Structure formats: C-alpha cells, structure tokens
Amino acid sequence: MTQENIESILTEDRIFAPSEAFRSKARINNRADYDALRARAEKDHEGFWAELAKSEIDWHKPFTKTLDSSRAPHFSWFTDGELNISYNCIDRHLKDKGDKTAIIFEGEKGDTRRITYKELHKNVCQFANALKAKGIKKGDRVVIYMPMVPEAAVAMHACARIGAVHSVVFGGFSAESLKDRIEDAGARALITADGGTRGGKVVPLKAACDEALGKGCKTIETVFVLKRAGNDVAMKNGRDIWWSDATKGQAETCEPEWVNSEHPLFLLYTSGSTGKPKGIQHSTGGYLLGTIVTMNWVFDIQENDIYWCTADVGWITGHSYVAYGPLAVGGTALMYEGAPVIPDAGRFWKICQDHKVTIFYTAPTAIRALMKAGDDYPNKYDLSSIRLLGTVGEPINPEAWIWYHEVIGKERCPIVDTWWQTETGANVIAPVPGAVDTKPGSCTIPLPGMAVDVVDDAGNSISTPDRGGYLVIRKPWPFMLRTIWGDDQRYIDTYWGKFNNRYYVAGDSCRRDKDGYFWIMGRIDDVLNVSGHRLGTMEVESALVAHERVAEAAVVGRPDDIKGEAIFAFVVIRGPRPQGSEADKLTKELRDWVAKEIGPIAKPDDIRYADNLPKTRSGKIMRRLLRTIAKGEEITQDISTLENEDIVKQLQGEM
Ligand code: WT7
C-alpha cells in the first residue's frame, strides 16, 4: 500500500449537531462532559474500565485484578471475577421488570410475539436444562444454525447459562460452510430449525444440516430442531430431537453456571485474507461490558425505548446488539425474521410504525437499496417514534446519509455511524449522539477508553490531517477478541504482526480530518465488503477452483451502488476458453456452485474468462490490474512484463 493510493478524495464538510429536543433527554448531552469522560479514560485506562465493570455488571465473585498482560498480545480482563452473562441479561431484571417486554418478534408473514423478561427466563432455563439432559456441559461447543426467531437468542442464552460456548452460523451459509465451522469448533451439538422464511421462500435449514453432517462433523451427538417453517424434514433416530420434545417437562429454572470472566462465551467465524474462516473467540466479562457501555453511550438507550437492530444473529452485530446488549441493559429489542422488501420496500418502515420503534440500526447497503425504491414507501408510514438512527458495516456514502437523515429521521434524529468489527466485540469509533456533532460519511471519534490511532508504514502516528494510514488500537480493551480458536499464532500474525506486536491492526485504512474525525477508507487486505459483510477473496477463489472445470481463479471487488462491493471473478478453465452462450452457461453454473460452497452472498456478480491470469515474473497475480479491469477503468500500470498481452483484452471482455 502506498500513501498516494490511500490519500483520500472525499471532501464532505457538512456538520450536523443534535437537536435541542434530542440533547435535552440524552444521557451524555454536551461535548465538554463527554471530553472529560474521555480524558479520564485516557489518564487511567485500567481504572476507568475497572470502575465501569464494577458498576455495570453483577458479579457472582468480584474481580480484584483488572488487566493481565502477561501473555500479551493475549490480554485478559477482570481475570479472577466470576459471572454469568445470561444472569446479567435476564435474571437481574426479573425483580423490577419481569413483565417488561424483552423481545418483540415479527415474522416475515406478519405473525408477532412479545416475550417478557419472565417468559424469556423460563424459555432459556428450560432449553438450558434440555442441553444438560443431552450431556452438554461447560466448555462444550454448540453450533447454532437458525432463522431470525426469538429461539435463536434463547439458544444463545441457554448455552451461556450453562457455560457452553456457542458458535452461530448465519442461516444463509451453505452446508459446506456449516460443516467447516462445526469441524473447526469441534461442536458436540447443533441447534437448528426445520426452516426459516426469507424473501417469501422457505430456507431449508435442517436439510442443510443433514447434508453437512452426512459429510463429516463426527463430533456432533445431538441435533435440536425447532419447528418454525413447517416444511418436511427427516429426523434421524437417536441424534435428532424436536425443540418441543427436548424442553417438555424441563424445570423452569436453571442455576447459572458461574464462569470465569475470561471463559469463552462464543466463537464467531469471519473471513480473512486466506481461504479458511477464523473462529473469533470472545470472553464473557469483557464482552458483556462492551455491549453495555455502547448501548448506553452510543445508543443512549432508555427505559421506554424500542430498539431495533436489523442484523441477523449470525453476525457480530446480531450478537452484540440483538441477543446481548439490549437485554443486558434491560431494554426491549425487536427481531424481524425476513427480508426488507417483503411484501414491498416499505416493510422496515411499517415495522417501525407498528411497533413504535425509537432506535433503528441498520447497514448502509439496506439504506441504499431502500433509498432506490423511492420516498413513497417511508412516506406512507408514521415514523415519528424514531429518535435515533444508526449504521454499521461499511462507510456510508454521504448521499445515503442525507436521505436517511431527511426521509427517515425527518432531520430530527442524530445518526450514529458505528465503526467496529467482529474482533472488537462492540462499537469502537462512533458518536455519542447528544455530545458529538456528526459529518456524513465519518464515524466521528473514538469512544472513551479506546486508544485508536492512524499510523504510517513505519508505525508512527499520523498527525497531518487527511493523510491516510493504518487504523490501529494502541491499548487492549475489555471486549477485544481473545484469540482465533485453535490458532494462537494466526491471531498474533493477523492482528499484531504488522507492527511488531505494538498494537492491534484492524486491517482498515483511515484518515483523520482537521477536527480529529475518522474517515474509514476501506480494507488494506484481500478482504471484500459485500453488503456490509466480510468475504475473503481467497475464500471465493478456493470455492471456484474446487469446481472440476476451473483451473485457476482470481477474485477482486468492484464498487457497487447497493452492495458496496460486488464480486468480480477472473477464471481460467481447463480446456479451451468458453465463449458466447457456452460462457453464459458456465457462468451460471459457477455462480450456483459458489452459492452452494459458501452461500448466496458469495456468488460472483461477474465472471470473465481468459487463457491465463496476468502474473508478475515472480508468479504473483497482478491484482491491481484486475481491479482496474473490474472497474472498467483505463489501464495505466505497466503491463509490459506480461507474457501474453492478449489476455488483458480477454479479461476486459473484448475478445
Ligand atoms: C469491517 C468489519 C461490525 C459489524 C459489521 C461488520 C467495515 C464496519 C464500519 C463503519 C466504515 C465499517 C470495516 C471493518 N466497517 N463498520 N461504520 N464505517 N467501515 O463486521 O464483518 O467484522 O467487518 O467492516 O472495514 O473492518 P465485520
């Protein structure tokens, strides 16, 4: 990466201050108080986090040691403390808010349910007892492959309640991806459903489980199956059990397993620059603290809020801001099962109206898609309950930001653009909405206790405004990942290697403007951001070359209006290069193939065929050239070292 090519071209300079109406009710409502809080954190990093951990978490056994750096960069927080996260999210609210709604659910077909804290407690305890009855115990891994229904959250809390480590696999991933994750985690149980409903279709989850289990996954002993979509499924005797049968007659209480603060709460697989997904491992105490402080600071959640984060529980956002954060603070979280366009592009806005949503958090890709559908949809609904909007997943383009602000927020609601990652556990850079003015496209400034910096190739902090560099975090924070499951070395190499273990390297490039606002500029590694989700180029390449007709493949991203990045694949096949209708047929076959290997989100948008891929003398694929071609831009780089210049024309689709 050279400085020039990450030098920014953005020139957005509009500033939006929160309204008086918002500010007057906000928990932190002016910049001076907020700066004082940040200064305190900076002065005494450990003391700051220790104080919050004591005030925000109910500890079964209080901690005496805050940060342990003896195994750096594997850091531990609150190490001798003991707690249970399901207790903190549910039990501790029972006395004062047992009858408060914890989860509002709406299915794609329009069915709704409201679940109180008392009911959630009962459901979680019964399912926890069902897990125990099948021999699942503390430390065992359990994979959850579910639709977006309350039982997905119940399953997560039930695991946490007994100290089992959950690993949720997004229901849109294929059987093949599911199998890889089950095997890497060595899971003993799998929790799924017959099917989920999305986009008007049934997603046959149980069938995908059967396919995955048929190919391996020898560690799985039990499969719990929730009846949701009503589709026919096969049940294997001795292995598969219906959720309803497993919970029947189970006690309605279940003493939480008190675990050490560092006890792994969950693994969540995410893509890296190599083909193999990484099992990001989070802790219990530190992670919980991250979700709580950000629910308070960034989402400013209050007693009567109806909080809706649209993310699926298969992603980190669905962990921190659906299943854990809103409950940890005793809030009401909305869950929606389906797609945003069923029956039409007004569905999200109708849900906001019907359930009087006050805080709405979604991804730029969804905002752009709904913006394209036109203003008539949101204008049909009463959105006056909304007081705060949020975005996450990728930089939001100023046009979409302004639309969100005007058409959804009616210029009344601050927008919190939250930068974070699966690895960071919770928001890291984001505005505290009552105190920090916002600029369209910027995630603003780091939260208190987050030592975020932008450094150059030599690792020196960049103070020149608008100069791009590496986004790094200088000090450990409680909700950071602990390691990559089963691969400590990969953890060190991926996140710490670049600057000799001096700081956490996020993998994003970033610039800071003259006001110290952060502007994320994209990834620095071979990772694509498709619809706010990370996909490794290598992962898609591996899937392509696994097809019998593919000899070689290279995948790059190309900017896309809705998805952020689209997947562009260059493919060399065995035998003569396909052309015309033969190429079209193969393209369809390869797209379906990748969907089957990884999941529909990984389907290449474009495929081009050539006799060879452009390579340097040392055999490295010239990715920059491929990116230029994918964008349809004029080639300015030196291609004279190419053996066969004709292939550039082939790749450009010109011959
Ligand atoms: C990557 C993390 C964290 C939940 C969603 C994605 C990009 C995330 C923003 C934002 C600009 C963002 C970064 C980051 N990203 N939020 N507000 N502005 N970029 O989680 O799959 O772990 O991906 O998403 O590139 O590194 P993830």
Side-chain angles (χ1 to χ4, degrees), residues 270 315-317 391-396 417-423 443 506-508 520 522-523 529 532-534:
T270 189
W315 310 110
I316 189 69
T317 314
T391 79
V392 59
E394 57 179 306
I396 180 165
D417 178 344
T418 60
W419 180 88
W420 60 297
Q421 309 177 289
T422 304
E423 293 87 342
C443 49
D508 282 359
I520 305 295
R523 299 286 306 181
N529 188 328
H533 299 303
R534 240 194 288 179

Side-chain angles (χ1 to χ4, degrees), residues 502-520:
R502 277 196 292 158
Y503 18 72
Y504 171 86
V505 183
D508 282 359
S509 59
C510 181
R511 71 180 168 99
R512 258 181 305 213
D513 69 16
K514 60 182 189 330
D515 301 321
Y517 277 50
F518 287 67
W519 298 78
I520 305 295

